[in-house]
Amino acid sequence: MTQPGARVVVTTEGPVATITMTAPERLNAVDPAMLEELTAAVGSLDADPAVRVIAITGAGRGFCAGADLGAGRDITPDNQQDVDLSATLYGAGRLVRAIVTARTPTVALVGGVAAGAGLSIALACDYSLATESASFTMAFVKIGLMPDCGSTALVAANIGRAKALRMALTGERIPAPVAEAWGLICECVADEAYAERSRALLAQLAGSAPVAVAATSAAVTAAVLDLEAALAVEESGQVALLQTADFREGVAAFLEKRAARFQGH
Ligand code: LHQ
């Protein structure tokens, strides 16, 4: 168990390890330090043979609202904001890569909204279980960005190009029951059944043959997902978009709770 007050809390119960993103006041939006801790936690749990399943979840009413759009805002001049979010961009890419390549089965337990990088974290896992009241959004378009953190590939691999473009171009919030029907996530359960279903699923995966499970996940992933190609295209595109006035306007509009006025530069 990590120290109290930590933004990333790791608990283990027998063979089941749970990583909890813990910034509930911002729906667990992630900053570079959290991303580094999350990646390190996935790596060390994956290397521990006593751990047979890794769950990733969020504290409070959200799963993860993506990059922390307020990170460093008060302490860095405006023209440094891009630098800060680039660190988030690459840090989130490393986390998604660590989850996708983990040999231990990974489960996203999604009890609330998953947005931007939060959506990628959920979809990177081998299994995504959500409550009926959870929701999923690519969000990026609303702040003048393109999807990143592998989501161009992760989303399209699950639901196809048409619905992936629908999510990417509208930023609409997809309710968990619809996400399940589309194949975006593995399973959606009634809120009151979520705790029990989570326990049963984690117990089942923890009892599966570890080498077979690792081979299965790697094979299915290899068949449908070129994560490295997606990350390369996304990261070069996003680094350019982080320099735009439209991105700065998008973030300012979100933080000021108003509609963005994009100008195309
Ligand atoms: C937040 C956030 C947030 C800070 C809610 N940050 N505070 C990485 C880096 C580099 C390049 C770009 O790409 C990336 C990856 C990304 O993830 S970019 C995408 C970043 N995420 C977003 O754009 C999503 C922003 N959030 C939202 O659109 C909404 O909050 C959602 C739809 C997630 C939830 O809406 P509601 O349920 O209505 O909640 P809310 O908006 O009222 O948020 C609750 C609080 O959380 C609120 O703070 P307040 O003090 O007013 O209670 C928000 O400001 C805060 N929050 N997301 N990403």
Side-chain angles (χ1 to χ4, degrees):
M1 172 107 180
T2 359
Q3 289 127 9
R7 294 303 209 171
V8 174
V9 174
V10 179
T11 54
T12 50
E13 209 180 319
V16 178
T18 303
I19 302 173
T20 305
M21 297 174 277
T22 309
E25 73 287 358
R26 55 175 200 248
L27 304 177
N28 306 312
V30 284
D31 58 27
M34 269 177 89
L35 287 164
E36 208 174 300
E37 282 179 59
L38 287 163
T39 306
V42 170
S44 65
L45 293 170
D46 189 36
D48 181 349
V51 173
R52 301 275 289 269
V53 63
I54 301 169
I56 302 179
T57 194
R61 76 170 176 94
F63 175 74
C64 171
D68 177 7
L69 297 176
R73 198 160 177 261
D74 298 332
I75 50 167
T76 54
D78 279 351
N79 64 1
Q80 301 256 314
Q81 192 174 54
D82 306 349
V83 175
D84 203 45
L85 281 187
S86 294
T88 309
L89 175 68
Y90 291 112
R94 282 192 292 276
L95 173 60
V96 166
R97 193 181 278 120
I99 297 170
V100 168
T101 59
R103 288 180 54 80
T104 312
T106 48
V107 178
L109 297 178
V110 186
V113 65
L119 174 66
S120 290
I121 293 169
L123 300 189
C125 291
D126 293 308
Y127 204 106
S128 42
L129 174 69
T131 59
E132 243 167 26
S133 58
S135 58
F136 301 85
T137 168
M138 289 185 93
F140 305 91
V141 69
K142 299 200 170 160
I143 52 168
L145 292 180
M146 64 182 283
D148 60 22
C149 308
S151 63
T152 55
L154 288 161
V155 173
N158 288 6
I159 62 176
R161 178 172 177 270
K163 289 201 182 66
L165 281 168
R166 172 172 164 178
M167 285 188 72
L169 294 176
T170 66
E172 78 187 278
R173 208 161 155 173
I174 309 297
V178 176
E180 183 195 39
W182 284 3
L184 183 68
I185 58 168
C186 297
E187 186 181 347
C188 165
V189 289
D191 291 23
E192 53 279 14
Y194 175 64
E196 182 46 37
R197 176 63 189 133
S198 302
R199 269 191 295 277
L201 174 66
L202 295 174
Q204 180 184 355
L205 292 174
S208 299
V211 181
V213 164
T216 301
S217 168
V220 173
T221 297
V224 296
L225 193 71
D226 190 346
L227 180 63
E228 290 307 324
L231 285 172
V233 173
E234 293 168 357
E235 285 171 358
S236 68
Q238 199 74 297
V239 163
L241 291 169
L242 289 175
Q243 317 297 322
T244 63
D246 279 350
F247 166 61
R248 282 190 291 277
E249 162 62 9
V251 173
F254 172 73
L255 294 172
E256 290 160 20
K257 301 185 191 294
R258 62 170 173 81
R261 293 176 294 269
F262 295 122
Q263 307 290 337
H265 52 83

